[in-house]
Amino acid sequence: MWLKPEEILLKNALKLWVTEKDNEYFVVQRRRGYGEGGGGLTGRLVGTLDAVLDSTSKVAPFRILHHTPDSQVYWAVACGVTKEEIFQHWDWLQQNIMRTLSVFDSSEDITSFVQGKIRGLIAEEGKTSHVLEDDPEKFREAYLRFENWFALPPQEKLVTYYACSYWKGKVPCQGWLYLSTNFLCFYSYLLGAEVKLVISWDEIWRLEKTSNVILTESVHVVAHGEDHYFSMLLHLNETFVIMEQLADYSVKRLFDKEAFESERALSDPLQITKRGLEAHAKSEQFRTFFRLPKEENLLEVHESFLWVPSSHFNTLGKMCLSENYLCFASQDGSQCHIVVPMREVVNVEKPDSSSRALTVYVRGKRALRFTEVRDYRRLATTVRDRCGISASPQHAASAEVIRGECQSLINHFEDNPEDVTLMVGQKDGSKAVSTEALMTVFHPQDVENLDPKMLKEKMKEQSWNIHFSEYGRGTCMFFTRKTRDMIVRGVPEALRGELWMLFSGAVNDMATHPGYYTELVEQSLGTSTLATEEIERDLHRSLPDHPAFQSDTGISALRRVLTAYACRNPKIGYCQAMNILTSVLLLYAKEEEAFWLLVAVCERMLPDYFNRRIIGALVDQAVFEDLIRENLPQLVENMTDLSFFSSVSLSWFLTLFISVLPIESAVNVVDCFFYDGIKAILQLGLSVLDYNVEALIRCHDDAEAVTILNKFFDSVTNKDSPLPPTVQQAPVGNHEKSTHLNVDISELIRKAYEKYGNIRSEEVESSRKRNKLFVIQTLEDTTKQNVIRVVSQEVKFTPAKLDELYNLFKRQHFLSCYWTMKSPALVHHDPSLAYLEQYQLGFQQFSVLFSLLEPWAFCTNKSTLSLWVFRLIDENQDGLVNFKEFCCALDHLYCGSFTNKLKFLFKLHLPPDFDLPEDGVIKKSPERGRGKVDLQAYLKQWQNEILRKEETIKDLPRINQAQFIQFSKTLYNIFHGDAAEESLYRAVAHVTSLLLRMEEAGRRLQEPGGARAALPPASVDASPREAGPELPEPDWSFSFEQILASLLNEPAVVGFFERRVDIQSKVIRAQAAQLKQAVG
């Protein structure tokens, strides 16, 4: 590797370096302790120095220095890991530099020329290099050490590295922590003791910051059941965040099959950088806080003051700019924040230089004044450009006129919706979409007869109207502490849908996708998929006691929303609990609004909740357990196993308490959820347990605890609800007379905020990341146990051996996915499939792993024979092999009888029933949300598998001449290298000759006069067999029975195949060589 020329003091380095070769201007040196005579005390001391210190001298064991005869100064220009590498650089210098140096007159000119050439070479290398960091030279050195020490594939991208101590038992080892795209690596070398650690991110169960008496602060990593501690990190928080981001990236890419096409910094695993990860994390945090679409990225952040009109003071905070939004949040985030879509901006006032102010005008004659903005002039220009606003006042005025006319048209069409159809020419099918919330249809408010509850409802509406007048209404509304206080007290029925849209960010999705929902409805209705069948089954189970869903109006609207979402997001399709949530959304929001609210919940606010594995809900249950330990010590002391609360609270999280609370109370919870996110559900869950803590402590079993919680939920009421009894939901739990006094939902929520409101959203997100790894690995382990249980019934391997084989199989799957986003194994990985189908290998991955594990080394990597094995064991002929098929093949070869092993080899040489296409994958079942599912075909396949009889040797077809010759070659390959190789070769030759004679004799018997021609044995002996048998005629063939009977007469062959082969040694070899095979 060429180095940026750096001056060194050769006088101080003589004790550490030995000269290998030199000339007038260059010298090659070898590090003491490396190469010939590199052992002993010198080697250990130098190795320890190289591992501990971060200096150029430890880059590599070989280097090239430049010097001039009349100067004592030396310059390091190249280094290398091996002698071959350094001499390649030496030869290049000899051929390209030495001839030119003779024309220079002075030493300074020579040195300047050499330095310029070397810098040019480095610049050329940098165009294709993985190094994209701030300090390329230093990072190049670290990258070289990383490649040298760990021998990972050259495409593995080093992200960053840190000096630290790794605790091996009670002894700290000082060394270097290297974090790459797919691996966590550590290296230490102290006085001859080398410590090397390589852990892939997908193998990590726990990743957390810890502290104890010995270690003040450290990073704790759990992988393969072992604990690893890294301490003495200069930037521990930074290191931990990067580790957390890399682990999360690996989990999303490999387990969830999540793509990153929209994020250039993460779209290619070969180009991941520390800077890109940090930008991704900031953008994700930005989108989560302000509830923005996933397409938005944080572009700029400016510290500034924002004038809050109602409070009459400037609030210090940060102004954030993305592609389509201008946002502001106060320092603590809870005091004030606002989201301004660029589409709402009508003008940007000329910047005020005296206060460095930026004034943005939005629709509704409102202005936002940001002061003390450092780069206010450029920012004003940026906002104008993104909004399409000219800086001239005349253009601003004309734009305001145009916007005013557009607004008048919008108002007209809102008052006359039938004109919209005439204007845009909508199809008749779109008229089926409901334009009213179901609650307004089935429970219209009686304005004339106002009972006390309705009067209180009107007072709430008036309070909110006053709030709107102070803080704004619509997309540019200020979110303040007062807003949260009003949410806790309850939202008026008439404003609920509007506020849900605003708080969730769904209002922005709907505004930027006009007509999208109508298109989805027209596209999805009438289709038949697995998702639509599940939707039809659950339609009448969604709030069945509510009048809205006892009519075709509500059922049809629910069907359209759920079917449209399944069409939009086939990865989720439809999951239970989505029907309950959507039913409540339809009560208070228009149909299209309910659809966008469902999108916001499923894709932003509750990620990974609604899929087959409900990972998001399980993660939040783990977060809930952590909060119980922190906030309810009395409960923890008396109930050591908190997993009960995880199981009982699953429905709380999946349905936002809708399934356990009466509907009139549950909607108050949904109000808080849309404002505060999952934090509101966690707070309420803690409050529920706190309210019942004494009764829960006295419980004798889980059933009694469930009864107590059900009775409590039955007692929760909403005394302010204006809904009539016909609309209110009956208690969902025990219908007997409750021993609980009635609890008002508003009071329960208020206490939850008072007692547990100090829980910060940032802490919840951090806990989510910490627990996600453990939840996913637990699910993966459960999958493994289920697969092993199924496969163990088919093979003779022990469960422990199957466990090791499964780990190798799964690792091989991941190795094909590490360095590309388009691996066939990754593309076709679907966690929603059956356990056996979740991890499968294409031919390329299979050939590598099978060549490492098969007992006789007859299948080299990617050989023709490997392809034949692959096609033979691929039972469903989809171009992918699952773990069961893989193990059955190994079971035949390791544990089968002589007959079974021979039959397996015989079947390899039969013509295949199918050919693999170029991509190696033939077909794949459709995703859950899309594609016609042929249930009859599945049932027929299942019936055939049940009725399928075991294959006998008589069922096998005959093999022809070419196949028999190849079969013989395969036997020779298997016997190659065996101790009895010579006798085995003679046995195969004898059997081959015998079979050919038998077939020739049989053919002659069938010819006219063939009996007489076959009688004299001399005629057979006289044939030129000694020089090698003649090739049989094309129609000659052999049955398996003939081959088996012939080989049974050869004890050497029978003994070879019946000899026990130890698979454990192969497994150990595969574990060590699997990654190296990926390198190759």
Side-chain angles (χ1 to χ4, degrees):
M1 182 180 77
W2 298 108
L3 300 176
K4 180 180 178 182
E6 181 180 355
E7 183 178 344
I8 63 171
L9 296 176
L10 195 60
K11 179 180 179 181
N12 296 332
L14 287 175
K15 296 180 180 179
L16 299 177
W17 294 90
V18 177
T19 299
E20 291 279 311
K21 185 181 288 189
D22 62 354
N23 59 31
E24 189 177 1
Y25 297 108
F26 297 98
V27 57
V28 177
Q29 292 187 332
R30 171 178 56 83
R31 187 80 162 164
R32 287 186 184 273
Y34 294 90
E36 299 177 0
L41 182 61
T42 302
R44 294 185 179 184
L45 291 174
V46 174
T48 300
L49 184 66
D50 289 349
V52 174
L53 298 181
D54 181 19
S55 62
T56 307
S57 62
K58 73 168 189 177
V59 171
F62 298 93
R63 69 179 182 181
I64 297 178
L65 305 179
H66 162 67
H67 71 102
T68 54
D70 56 348
S71 174
Q72 299 297 318
V73 178
Y74 284 75
W75 299 84
V77 295
C79 66
V81 178
T82 63
K83 183 176 289 189
E84 292 76 13
E85 180 185 357
I86 203 68
F87 277 111
Q88 284 181 2
H89 287 36
W90 175 266
D91 293 340
W92 189 92
L93 291 172
Q94 293 283 77
Q95 297 170 10
N96 298 277
I97 299 293
M98 287 298 296
R99 298 175 184 176
T100 311
L101 297 183
S102 59
V103 302
F104 293 100
D105 297 329
S106 66
S107 300
E108 291 79 7
D109 292 341
I110 292 174
T111 300
S112 178
F113 174 77
V114 170
Q115 291 179 351
K117 273 290 186 182
I118 299 301
R119 289 193 177 97
L121 289 172
I122 294 174
E124 285 297 319
E125 287 182 352
K127 293 179 180 179
T128 57
S129 173
H130 288 174
V131 179
L132 300 172
E133 301 303 313
D134 296 329
D135 189 351
E137 186 63 30
K138 189 175 181 181
F139 195 85
R140 278 160 53 88
E141 297 173 10
Y143 188 76
L144 186 65
R145 294 196 301 273
F146 174 72
E147 284 186 322
N148 180 32
W149 285 338
F150 302 108
L152 294 173
Q155 61 265 40
E156 179 64 16
K157 175 68 174 67
L158 177 63
V159 176
T160 187
Y161 62 101
Y162 300 94
C164 72
S165 290
Y166 169 65
W167 290 78
K168 192 174 181 181
K170 296 183 179 180
V171 179
C173 303
Q174 183 65 30
W176 290 88
L177 179 68
Y178 295 87
L179 307 179
S180 66
T181 307
N182 299 293
F183 298 95
L184 178 155
C185 306
F186 176 84
Y187 183 85
S188 174
Y189 185 92
L190 294 173
L191 298 177
E194 184 181 56
V195 177
K196 189 181 295 185
L197 182 69
V198 179
I199 303 173
S200 58
W201 294 112
D202 56 82
E203 297 170 339
I204 293 179
W205 283 65
R206 288 268 185 203
L207 179 62
E208 57 190 354
K209 286 190 292 186
T210 60
S211 60
N212 53 41
V213 177
I214 300 176
L215 303 176
T216 54
E217 203 169 17
S218 62
V219 176
H220 177 211
V221 177
V222 179
H224 302 298
E226 298 180 358
D227 294 291
H228 306 276
Y229 292 91
F230 301 92
S231 64
M232 303 296 289
L233 287 153
L234 186 60
H235 305 287
L236 187 137
N237 289 331
E238 175 190 315
T239 307
F240 178 74
V241 168
I242 293 294
M243 293 170 72
E244 202 173 48
Q245 290 168 354
L246 284 168
D248 185 61
Y249 174 72
S250 177
V251 163
K252 288 181 178 178
R253 188 167 65 90
L254 300 176
F255 291 102
D256 294 345
K257 207 176 71 172
E258 184 173 324
F260 295 89
E261 286 89 355
S262 59
E263 300 185 53
R264 295 179 58 188
L266 302 181
S267 59
D268 185 0
L270 303 182
Q271 300 298 328
I272 298 296
T273 63
K274 178 182 174 183
R275 195 182 306 118
L277 287 169
E278 290 172 346
H280 169 71
K282 290 178 180 178
S283 293
E284 199 170 50
Q285 186 180 10
F286 165 70
R287 290 190 296 265
T288 301
F289 182 83
F290 291 108
R291 309 281 169 79
L292 298 179
K294 61 182 179 181
E295 295 81 12
E296 297 300 312
N297 294 293
L298 182 60
L299 303 178
E300 298 181 34
V301 179
H302 300 271
E303 193 171 86
S304 67
F305 288 90
L306 173 62
W307 175 257
V308 182
S310 60
S311 303
H312 302 291
F313 66 86
N314 279 317
T315 302
L316 176 62
K318 291 184 178 179
M319 180 169 49
C320 305
L321 186 69
S322 70
E323 290 86 349
N324 299 294
Y325 295 88
L326 176 67
C327 306
F328 176 87
S330 58
Q331 280 187 321
D332 60 357
S334 62
Q335 185 177 355
C336 168
H337 75 270
I338 187 172
V339 177
V340 182
M342 295 295 185
R343 65 179 184 276
E344 296 290 325
V345 177
V346 296
N347 191 21
V348 179
E349 193 178 81
K350 185 177 179 180
D352 181 5
S353 57
S354 60
S355 58
R356 295 188 297 178
L358 175 70
T359 305
V360 178
Y361 292 92
V362 298
R363 292 180 186 176
K365 299 180 180 180
R366 295 180 55 212
L368 303 173
R369 182 176 174 81
F370 301 92
T371 58
E372 299 301 326
V373 184
R374 178 172 297 178
D375 200 3
Y376 63 98
R377 294 185 186 277
R378 186 192 60 78
L379 185 59
T381 303
T382 302
V383 175
R384 284 198 195 97
D385 292 342
R386 293 194 176 277
C387 300
I389 300 172
S390 171
S392 64
Q394 292 83 2
H395 179 89
S398 62
E400 181 63 30
V401 171
I402 294 172
R403 285 182 172 83
E405 292 175 355
C406 292
Q407 187 62 43
S408 65
L409 281 173
I410 292 170
N411 295 335
H412 170 75
F413 287 131
E414 287 180 349
D415 297 335
N416 303 277
E418 65 278 0
D419 291 352
V420 178
T421 306
L422 300 174
M423 183 78 176
V424 300
Q426 287 181 317
K427 299 179 181 179
D428 293 338
S430 64
K431 292 181 180 179
V433 176
S434 174
T435 57
E436 293 292 337
L438 294 180
M439 194 63 78
T440 62
V441 176
F442 290 89
H443 178 51
Q445 294 184 4
D446 189 352
V447 181
E448 296 180 358
N449 301 319
L450 296 179
D451 58 15
K453 288 187 176 180
M454 285 302 301
L455 286 173
K456 193 167 185 178
E457 186 77 1
K458 290 297 180 182
M459 292 174 62
K460 278 187 182 179
E461 290 184 27
Q462 186 61 29
S463 299
W464 274 95
N465 288 330
I466 295 172
H467 184 80
F468 291 148
S469 65
E470 294 178 352
Y471 294 95
R473 185 170 187 171
T475 52
C476 298
M477 171 182 166
F478 281 90
F479 295 83
T480 64
R481 289 174 180 170
K482 185 177 179 181
T483 310
R484 177 182 281 114
D485 293 340
M486 296 187 69
I487 291 289
V488 171
R489 289 199 294 268
V491 174
E493 298 280 320
L495 297 176
R496 188 159 269 137
E498 175 188 344
L499 293 176
W500 286 358
M501 290 288 291
L502 178 63
F503 297 153
S504 65
V507 63
N508 293 314
D509 292 326
M510 183 172 167
T512 53
H513 295 82
Y516 176 75
Y517 174 67
T518 303
E519 292 175 4
L520 278 181
V521 170
E522 293 174 351
Q523 178 184 343
S524 60
L525 283 183
T527 60
S528 176
T529 66
L530 183 61
T532 57
E533 292 177 7
E534 292 176 348
I535 289 170
E536 290 297 328
R537 187 174 61 245
D538 287 348
L539 283 176
H540 294 278
R541 303 175 185 174
S542 310
L543 303 185
D545 297 330
H546 199 286
F549 299 100
Q550 294 172 352
S551 71
D552 185 62
T553 303
I555 293 296
S556 298
L558 181 60
R559 177 187 292 112
R560 288 191 294 270
V561 173
L562 292 175
T563 307
Y565 186 78
C567 182
R568 166 189 166 85
N569 191 343
K571 181 180 177 182
I572 292 178
Y574 169 77
C575 294
Q576 287 188 344
M578 287 174 66
N579 60 318
I580 298 175
L581 176 61
T582 307
S583 301
V584 175
L585 299 179
L586 282 167
L587 290 178
Y588 294 97
K590 299 174 184 178
E591 187 175 318
E592 185 175 2
E593 293 175 343
F595 169 79
W596 288 113
L597 284 170
L598 183 64
V599 169
V601 171
C602 294
E603 298 177 13
R604 286 200 302 270
M605 301 187 71
L606 295 179
D608 297 325
Y609 261 62
F610 300 99
N611 53 40
R612 183 175 178 270
R613 302 199 295 176
I614 57 171
I615 291 175
L618 296 176
V619 169
D620 284 342
Q621 284 179 297
V623 175
F624 188 51
E625 281 189 33
D626 291 343
L627 292 174
I628 292 173
R629 292 187 182 92
E630 294 175 12
N631 296 278
L632 297 172
Q634 185 180 358
L635 194 61
V636 176
E637 291 172 2
N638 292 273
M639 298 184 70
T640 54
D641 184 13
L642 298 181
S643 60
F644 161 75
F645 296 110
S646 293
S647 58
V648 78
S649 65
L650 181 60
S651 62
W652 304 357
F653 292 100
L654 283 173
T655 65
L656 309 179
F657 283 92
I658 296 171
S659 63
V660 293
L661 287 174
I663 186 63
E664 66 275 8
S665 300
V667 291
N668 286 39
V669 179
V670 179
D671 296 339
C672 299
F673 167 75
F674 277 122
Y675 190 85
D676 274 323
I678 194 62
K679 173 175 172 283
I681 305 300
L682 294 169
Q683 289 174 178
L684 185 61
L686 291 174
S687 184
V688 168
L689 296 182
D690 187 32
Y691 196 97
N692 296 277
V693 63
E694 294 182 359
L696 290 172
I697 289 174
R698 293 194 298 268
C699 289
H700 297 90
D701 53 35
D702 292 350
E704 188 178 350
V706 170
T707 302
I708 289 172
L709 291 174
N710 284 340
K711 287 181 178 180
F712 171 77
F713 288 128
D714 290 346
S715 68
V716 176
T717 61
N718 188 347
K719 64 181 181 181
D720 296 331
S721 175
L723 300 180
T726 56
V727 176
Q728 293 188 11
Q729 182 181 339
V732 295
N734 196 321
H735 292 278
E736 298 177 1
K737 187 176 181 180
S738 176
T739 56
H740 279 284
L741 296 174
N742 286 345
V743 180
D744 183 61
I745 185 63
S746 297
E747 186 65 18
L748 185 63
I749 292 175
R750 185 185 64 79
K751 288 185 177 179
Y753 271 88
E754 285 180 356
K755 194 163 187 178
Y756 306 108
N758 59 343
I759 297 173
R760 299 173 64 244
S761 299
E762 293 81 2
E763 295 173 355
V764 173
E765 288 301 320
S766 176
S767 183
R768 273 178 162 180
K769 291 178 182 178
R770 183 173 64 252
N771 285 287
K772 186 175 183 178
L773 291 173
F774 181 78
V775 168
I776 287 181
Q777 295 292 4
T778 301
L779 291 173
E780 289 292 310
D781 192 61
T782 302
T783 297
K784 178 172 70 173
Q785 298 306 323
N786 289 328
V787 169
I788 290 174
R789 186 175 64 252
V790 171
V791 176
S792 63
Q793 300 173 9
E794 306 286 336
V795 300
K796 297 182 179 66
F797 293 129
T798 64
K801 193 63 60 189
L802 287 174
D803 187 283
E804 292 180 315
L805 290 174
Y806 183 89
N807 291 335
L808 286 170
F809 189 88
K810 179 179 173 182
R811 184 173 176 81
Q812 190 65 40
H813 166 89
F814 281 145
L815 282 174
S816 67
C817 310
Y818 278 164
W819 301 286
T820 176
M821 297 292 283
K822 298 180 181 179
S823 162
L826 183 61
V827 171
H828 293 281
H829 172 55
D830 186 356
S832 66
L833 292 175
Y835 292 125
L836 283 172
E837 306 297 326
Q838 287 191 18
Y839 293 110
Q840 302 181 90
L841 300 183
F843 169 65
Q844 302 296 333
Q845 304 94 42
F846 165 82
S847 61
V848 172
L849 185 59
F850 190 76
S851 64
L852 291 173
L853 290 173
E854 55 94 0
W856 305 308
F858 70 100
C859 279
T860 58
N861 186 9
K862 301 178 185 178
S863 67
T864 304
L865 204 56
S866 292
L867 177 61
W868 292 352
V869 175
F870 181 80
R871 290 189 296 201
L872 174 63
I873 68 178
D874 182 14
E875 294 180 358
N876 59 355
Q877 301 179 5
D878 63 349
L880 295 168
V881 168
N882 63 36
F883 182 66
K884 178 183 175 182
E885 294 166 340
F886 183 79
C887 286
C888 287
L890 290 179
D891 183 63
H892 282 307
L893 298 179
Y894 278 98
C895 307
S897 63
F898 171 72
T899 303
N900 286 336
K901 292 177 181 178
L902 197 64
K903 184 170 71 172
F904 184 87
L905 296 174
F906 179 86
K907 290 170 68 175
L908 285 183
H909 300 82
L910 296 175
D913 296 331
F914 67 99
D915 292 318
L916 290 176
E918 292 183 3
D919 62 357
V921 177
I922 292 180
K923 60 185 178 180
K924 195 63 182 173
S925 58
E927 292 188 80
R928 284 174 54 82
R930 183 175 296 171
K932 176 67 177 175
V933 179
D934 190 353
L935 297 179
Q936 294 297 329
Y938 279 116
L939 291 173
K940 187 176 181 180
Q941 180 182 351
W942 181 47
Q943 183 181 21
N944 292 338
E945 289 179 358
I946 294 175
L947 299 178
R948 183 175 59 188
K949 64 178 182 178
E950 188 172 348
E951 183 182 57
T952 64
I953 59 176
K954 293 183 178 180
D955 298 326
L956 297 174
R958 301 170 70 88
I959 58 175
N960 60 29
Q961 167 191 336
Q963 294 161 356
F964 177 72
I965 293 174
Q966 185 60 50
F967 175 77
S968 301
K969 290 181 178 179
T970 300
L971 291 179
Y972 282 125
N973 290 335
I974 290 175
F975 299 149
H976 179 68
D978 190 82
E981 178 180 359
E982 187 174 346
S983 61
L984 289 168
Y985 281 176
R986 284 198 301 269
V988 173
H990 180 262
V991 169
T992 302
S993 177
L994 177 63
L995 287 171
L996 289 172
R997 291 180 184 183
M998 289 171 57
E999 188 63 26
E1000 183 178 348
R1003 185 175 65 84
R1004 290 180 178 178
L1005 286 172
Q1006 295 176 2
E1007 296 176 353
R1012 288 190 299 273
L1015 286 176
S1019 63
V1020 176
D1021 295 337
S1023 61
R1025 288 284 186 266
E1026 296 177 2
E1030 289 183 356
L1031 292 178
E1033 297 294 330
D1035 58 346
W1036 285 10
S1037 62
F1038 301 100
S1039 69
F1040 176 72
E1041 292 172 290
Q1042 290 176 304
I1043 297 174
L1044 176 63
S1046 301
L1047 288 174
L1048 281 173
N1049 291 321
E1050 299 295 336
V1053 176
V1054 175
F1056 176 86
F1057 282 110
E1058 289 187 343
R1059 186 170 61 208
R1060 181 179 178 82
V1061 181
D1062 182 23
I1063 192 175
Q1064 182 59 34
S1065 59
K1066 294 283 185 177
V1067 170
I1068 295 173
R1069 171 176 168 265
Q1071 290 170 343
Q1074 196 173 25
L1075 190 57
K1076 294 180 181 178
Q1077 290 283 347
V1079 176

